[in-house]
Amino acid sequence: MIPTLPTRRSSGFRPVASWAGAAALTLGFLFGSPASLAAAPPANTVIGNQASATYSDAAGTTQLATSNLVQTTVQQVGSFTLDSVSSVTTTVINTKIGAVGSTVYAPHTLTNTGNGNDTFTIKVDADNDRFSKVEVYVDANGDGVPDNTTSLCSATGAGTCDVPAQSVAGNNGVFRFVVAYTIPGTASGAGSAPATFDTATLTAIPGTPALYTAPNTAAAVKDDIQLTTAAAFNVTKTIGAPSVSAPGGGAWPTAANGGQRSSSASCATTWSAGLASSASCQYTVYTLTFNNTGGSPGRFAMSDTLPSGMTYVAGSAVWSSAPGTALGDGPAGDPSGIDFQVSGNTLNTVVALLGQNVTQTVSFVVLVNTSAAIGTSTTTNVAKFEPATVPLTTTAASIGTPGSSTNPSAYTVLANYGIVVGANGSTAANAVDTTPGTPNGTANDLTTRASVVAGGSVKFGQTVFNAGTGTDTVNLTVSSNTFPAGTTFLFFAADGFTPLLDTSGDGVPDTGPIAAGGSVNIVLQANVPSATAVGAGPFSATVTGRSAGDATKIDATLDTVTIVVGSLVDLTNTAAGTGTGTVGSGDLGPGPSPNPTTTNSTAAGTGTVFALFVKNNDTKNNTYTLAASQSTSFPGSLPAGWTVKFVASGGTCASAAITTVAANAGAQAQVAACVTPPATQAPVTAQKIYFQVQSTATASTGVIVSDTKTDAVTVTVPVTYSATLSPNNSGQVAPGGTVVYPHTLSSTGSQSCGAYTLTATVPSADASLGWTTAIYLDVNGDGQIDANDTLVTPSTPLTLAANGSQKLLVRVFAPGGATAGATDTVSVTATFTANCGTPTATDISTVITGQIRVLKTQAPSAACNGVADTAFAATPLTLKPGQCIVYKVVATNEGTAPVTNIAINDAVPAYTSLSATQPATATQCTSTGVSGTALAYAQTATAVSCGSAANTVAPSGMATLLFSVKINQ
């Protein structure tokens, strides 16, 4: 199963456990190529963020702890433009000319540039009230003329034309309309030279004013309507084929208002019969419609410069007065009555005489280029024209820049979605599936790991490519797998630690937005059940990516692990190993065992040498650090005055010390450990010494590996009188529970040991936490505490005869607050008045191993000054684009044993970026109860961390990471 977390994401995957390496990965977090977008997220987008912390537990095993999820909801922010104007102005948008009694149409566009839907009212007010009628019509297709005969509003005389509230989608949604101005038939003052008859003011006001910031609380522009007795020209531009034939009398290509751009650089740009759009070449047809609504014929001129996303198809232009005849494109070759010339991407037209009330068209074909941007930014066309007659000297070659503009006519370029999921190091070309959803079988679509430890995890790095032409988000699932039942799967960012969340709100973890042509590295982690049989395998999982933009576009890659092993590194006393590492006195496989595998005897002050074999079961060469402790906690401590020195194989206690050993893949290396008790050491039986090896680099599974084994040293003296207390016990206890350990005190000398007292001592630190013990004489020898068994106190007088024995029972109580990972070692000691010393046994009680808890909270910072405006909490926030969130991540050791090498890793969530002003440097990475190398803060554009290469976190110790992100605007 794959846990799904709502709302959230370099180089290839190289997970590590040491902080320095982990930070290097974390700070290269997520993107293999730029993919995060700075556009403001839509209103009500939920920005989620989750942190993680890595550490080594008491057994030296690398662990990953994830924090709670915190969420921030993006508030709606309003902004809009009216014909690109965002405030109240007197800017003239349209200058239109008409004759007495004519109606003139002026096109306009309102654009909602905010991040959410809103309604807008529009008022048209004639400045001098000279029009006989003012009306507003919908122009949804943007062709500059009304879509139908039903007006949105109508006004006469001194009235205003009030358009009812129109709902406009956010994120650049538009409302297109035209204003119809009727010049009365009684209008006076007209002359051959156009002159202003009246102007009108258009004012747009949003329906939710509280969302807007002044001066963008209203927008106003003007139309200038002029009167003339001479020619009065008007032009509209549309995407559409005319009613006349194409060049040569053939058919025009389909005149689409939108579609994909061309994908081939070799598409035809010269007209030929049958030219049409194809899978790789996209064409459309523009028609310029021009008419004369003035009082007399006139010479007409217009110029059309195509936008960068379009290319004119040479020889494709046709004039409606010469159907089927191609215009010449140059100084010659045009039909009589028109001069048409093309220079680059500019098309100039001069009609010698356009009669009164005559309408004509010029149509031509354009190629939508491969470079056309998604949307309309490079494919919106506006032509220019002279609204009045031009001099006879004006030709297509000398037209200049006409003074009036047509309506904008846009071709909407749609994204072509395509995704590829492959191995790290692959490309979109070589990792793509032959059959979508089925890995292609090549090395570029396969990630193999040599092994995984039973009960452990294995990580697979992959790369997700956006092979489409628009920004896309890719959902990730394990669509099928052959892993053992109970295996769980998690998706992480490229650092291998930060969980991937669901940024699109569909309940599936995803990559977050990836720019067209971009890529993102992700990691799949498979957690294998501990009951998985050693030697089992291979196991495979198919990782499937699915485009959020087009759910039919899928691609998959295959992850395979070859075999399940007991451990990737094995520490033993012999080359072959003994038994099972967690049972009895075994050391083969993961350890440590409860009892020592090897017990050496030595006199006080004299060293004894243990042989140690380090087997690298991995497919990757590695070097291992060597360590020793009197408990399972590492780094730990030795009994007072004891020393351990690691030496080369065959060495003695006088040999030079070593700290690491290298072992090639599949090979075994040998070292020795010299353990020396102090000269003052009293006799002790089987003092446990734990040896550990830990890799200095990640194994093939992507994690740091280690193994621990148990040995012991018995310190001897010449024996005249002697006694033993056995055995050493180990067990488990629940918080608030008890466990009973049996012991036998035996006289092993030829003389009586005499009087003695018994104590069961809890380490002082544990005693302060509430651990307690009690000792009983097992009167009936049944191994259980019965009503007749005698409770022993330190003052209870006892005697042990020669060759005699006494059965004892030690009860250990764990406090109710004992934390998972707590280990208590009780020393049971018989103290003789003379002769037989103080034989001791140990009872080791384990709750569970130590653990780190990670808590993440957040607070708003409206001023983005790095300072939280409120107290930190895990509850959701509601903020606007441009405001900031301060995140606080606290990792606490809630166990009773130290942990090491803590590093907190966090990522900048989707729809945000790191704030320019961060919290004060002294507060960004702090700690208490942490020794060793000081923790340090580090960041890149997409990730932050707090950790160090070598540190120890004491019980209740904590590390805190503080950073701030800004919501995109």
Side-chain angles (χ1 to χ4, degrees):
M1 60 175 269
I2 300 177
T4 300
L5 301 170
T7 314
R8 126 145 148 108
R9 127 203 156 238
S10 76
S11 56
F13 166 60
R14 299 169 292 156
V16 292
S18 65
W19 176 80
L25 278 175
T26 302
L27 300 183
F29 165 71
L30 201 55
F31 296 114
S33 59
S36 60
L37 305 178
N44 299 316
T45 296
V46 178
I47 298 174
N49 195 230
Q50 186 176 32
S52 67
T54 57
Y55 64 99
S56 298
D57 65 15
T61 303
T62 299
Q63 303 285 3
L64 174 72
T66 56
S67 76
N68 55 300
L69 180 70
V70 292
Q71 296 178 322
T72 299
T73 300
V74 177
Q75 286 184 314
Q76 183 170 346
V77 174
S79 64
F80 76 104
T81 62
L82 178 60
D83 299 309
S84 301
V85 171
S86 59
S87 61
V88 175
T89 70
T90 57
T91 302
V92 175
I93 300 300
N94 294 292
T95 298
K96 298 293 183 178
I97 301 176
V100 171
S102 66
T103 298
V104 177
Y105 296 99
H108 295 274
T109 300
L110 185 149
T111 303
N112 183 355
T113 56
N115 67 343
N117 297 351
D118 202 0
T119 59
F120 297 85
T121 57
I122 300 169
K123 179 176 70 174
V124 183
D125 186 9
D127 293 338
N128 298 299
D129 302 326
R130 299 186 66 186
F131 301 111
S132 59
K133 184 185 293 185
V134 176
E135 295 175 298
V136 175
Y137 295 89
V138 173
D139 180 22
N141 61 3
D143 62 0
V145 295
D147 289 349
N148 51 52
T149 59
T150 303
S151 64
L152 296 176
C153 67
S154 180
T156 60
T160 60
C161 193
D162 296 311
V163 177
Q166 301 293 311
S167 180
V168 184
N171 297 288
N172 297 311
V174 296
F175 171 62
R176 299 184 182 94
F177 62 99
V178 293
V179 182
Y181 298 100
T182 301
I183 300 174
T186 59
S188 60
S192 59
T196 297
F197 174 71
D198 202 352
T199 57
T201 300
L202 288 77
T203 304
I205 298 176
T208 315
L211 299 176
Y212 299 80
T213 302
N216 193 214
T217 53
V221 296
K222 285 184 176 293
D223 286 335
D224 181 4
I225 309 303
Q226 299 184 351
L227 184 63
T228 184
T229 58
F233 303 123
N234 191 44
V235 185
T236 61
K237 184 163 190 177
T238 59
I239 291 178
S243 58
V244 298
S245 299
W252 295 93
T254 300
N257 288 303
Q260 296 178 3
R261 64 193 175 197
S262 299
S263 59
S264 172
S266 58
C267 297
T269 55
T270 300
W271 173 263
S272 62
L275 183 72
S277 296
S278 65
S280 57
C281 299
Q282 182 66 49
Y283 298 93
T284 194
V285 182
Y286 272 116
T287 295
L288 287 160
T289 301
F290 46 95
N291 57 25
N292 180 359
T293 60
S296 63
R299 187 176 180 86
F300 170 70
M302 67 178 176
S303 178
D304 190 2
T305 299
L306 299 179
S308 61
M310 293 178 166
T311 298
Y312 170 68
V313 174
S316 68
V318 171
W319 181 34
S320 59
S321 294
T325 301
L327 298 177
D329 290 355
D334 295 322
S336 176
I338 190 169
D339 180 9
F340 180 83
Q341 296 189 33
V342 178
S343 176
N345 235 23
T346 298
L347 289 65
N348 292 334
T349 303
V350 175
V351 176
L353 191 66
L354 186 62
Q356 186 179 9
N357 298 319
V358 172
T359 299
Q360 296 179 355
T361 62
V362 168
S363 302
F364 54 89
V365 180
V366 296
L367 170 72
V368 182
N369 298 333
T370 58
S371 61
I374 304 301
T376 61
S377 62
T378 62
T379 50
T380 298
N381 190 202
V382 176
K384 307 286 284 186
F385 67 96
E386 289 294 352
T389 190
V390 296
L392 292 175
T393 56
T394 300
T395 67
S398 63
I399 197 170
T401 303
S404 293
S405 300
T406 69
N407 58 289
S409 183
Y411 177 93
T412 302
V413 180
L414 303 179
N416 177 28
Y417 293 101
I419 65 164
V420 177
V421 184
N424 283 159
S426 65
T427 66
N430 60 32
V432 65
D433 297 344
T434 304
T435 301
T438 301
N440 66 27
T442 70
N444 299 303
D445 215 15
L446 172 67
T447 303
T448 301
R449 296 287 181 252
S451 58
V452 62
V453 176
S457 62
V458 58
K459 295 183 177 182
F460 305 91
Q462 4 257 188
T463 302
V464 183
F465 301 91
N466 181 354
T469 59
T471 299
D472 200 2
T473 293
V474 181
N475 285 338
L476 299 167
T477 59
V478 174
S479 55
S480 63
N481 76 92
T482 61
F483 276 77
T487 299
T488 59
F489 298 95
L490 292 171
F491 285 106
F492 294 96
D495 60 359
F497 305 113
T498 305
L500 290 185
L501 308 180
D502 168 28
T503 68
S504 59
D506 60 5
V508 181
D510 59 58
T511 60
I514 308 176
S519 64
V520 57
N521 289 340
I522 59 108
V523 174
L524 173 70
Q525 176 175 304
N527 304 305
V528 178
S530 58
T532 305
V534 173
F539 301 113
S540 297
T542 300
V543 176
T544 299
R546 186 178 298 273
S547 164
D550 182 352
T552 66
K553 300 300 175 67
I554 63 173
D555 194 82
T557 190
L558 189 66
D559 292 334
T560 298
V561 63
T562 304
I563 192 171
V564 177
V565 297
S567 60
L568 290 181
V569 61
D570 201 1
L571 180 62
T572 58
N573 285 134
T574 61
T578 302
T580 301
T582 56
V583 178
S585 57
D587 64 2
L588 187 61
S593 59
N595 299 320
T597 304
T598 300
T599 302
N600 288 353
S601 295
T602 186
T606 302
T608 180
V609 177
F610 291 85
L612 298 174
F613 291 81
V614 182
K615 177 65 181 295
N616 182 353
N617 291 322
D618 199 7
T619 57
K620 178 180 177 182
N621 299 345
N622 221 319
T623 298
Y624 304 89
T625 57
L626 303 166
S629 175
Q630 65 177 328
S631 70
T632 57
S633 295
F634 284 86
S637 61
L638 296 170
W642 290 55
T643 62
V644 173
K645 181 170 71 170
F646 294 98
V647 297
S649 174
T652 67
C653 290
S655 300
I658 62 174
T659 57
T660 62
V661 59
N664 291 336
Q668 190 175 53
Q670 184 179 357
V671 297
C674 173
V675 182
T676 304
T680 57
Q681 177 65 49
V684 61
T685 300
Q687 168 62 55
K688 287 184 180 179
I689 300 294
Y690 296 91
F691 297 110
Q692 185 188 76
V693 290
Q694 179 170 293
S695 65
T696 58
T698 57
S700 62
T701 56
V703 298
I704 295 292
V705 295
S706 64
D707 189 31
T708 304
K709 75 171 313 298
T710 311
D711 285 330
V713 174
T714 295
V715 180
T716 62
V717 294
V719 176
T720 302
Y721 298 91
S722 66
T724 61
L725 182 59
S726 64
N728 292 317
N729 297 303
S730 64
Q732 295 181 336
V733 61
T738 60
V739 59
V740 177
Y741 298 106
H743 295 277
T744 300
L745 178 65
S746 301
S747 172
T748 56
S750 59
Q751 303 296 319
S752 170
C753 287
Y756 68 96
T757 57
L758 290 171
T759 57
T761 305
V762 176
S764 59
D766 289 356
S768 67
L769 296 174
W771 289 81
T772 60
T773 63
I775 306 176
Y776 293 82
L777 299 180
D778 190 3
V779 175
N780 59 8
D782 64 355
Q784 300 180 15
I785 297 175
D786 302 317
N788 294 325
D789 290 340
T790 304
L791 175 64
V792 177
T793 67
S795 60
T796 301
L798 302 167
T799 302
L800 184 65
N803 298 314
S805 64
Q806 174 63 61
K807 292 187 178 295
L808 308 173
L809 297 173
V810 176
R811 180 170 63 189
V812 179
F813 170 78
T819 308
T823 300
D824 173 72
T825 301
V826 174
S827 296
V828 183
T829 305
T831 303
F832 289 89
T833 304
N835 302 326
C836 291
T838 55
T840 301
T842 57
D843 293 329
I844 300 176
S845 303
T846 302
V847 179
I848 55 175
T849 59
Q851 69 176 28
I852 287 288
R853 177 172 180 264
V854 184
L855 176 65
K856 183 158 189 175
T857 53
Q858 61 181 355
S861 178
C864 291
N865 57 4
V867 178
D869 296 339
T870 65
F872 286 95
T875 52
L877 297 176
T878 299
L879 296 176
K880 297 179 180 179
Q883 293 183 326
C884 290
I885 310 165
V886 181
Y887 289 124
K888 182 178 183 181
V889 185
V890 180
T892 305
N893 180 3
E894 294 190 344
T896 58
V899 300
T900 59
N901 303 336
I902 191 169
I904 302 174
N905 306 285
D906 208 343
V908 178
Y911 307 113
T912 70
S913 60
L914 281 174
S915 173
T917 302
Q918 290 292 314
T921 302
T923 66
Q924 288 181 289
C925 180
T926 58
S927 63
T928 57
V930 179
S931 58
T933 304
L935 306 189
Y937 174 84
Q939 73 173 55
T940 65
T942 54
V944 296
S945 65
C946 172
S948 70
N951 60 73
T952 300
V953 185
S956 299
M958 66 178 63
T960 301
L961 170 66
L962 204 63
F963 70 103
S964 178
V965 300
K966 183 177 182 179
I967 301 173
N968 295 339
Q969 64 182 138

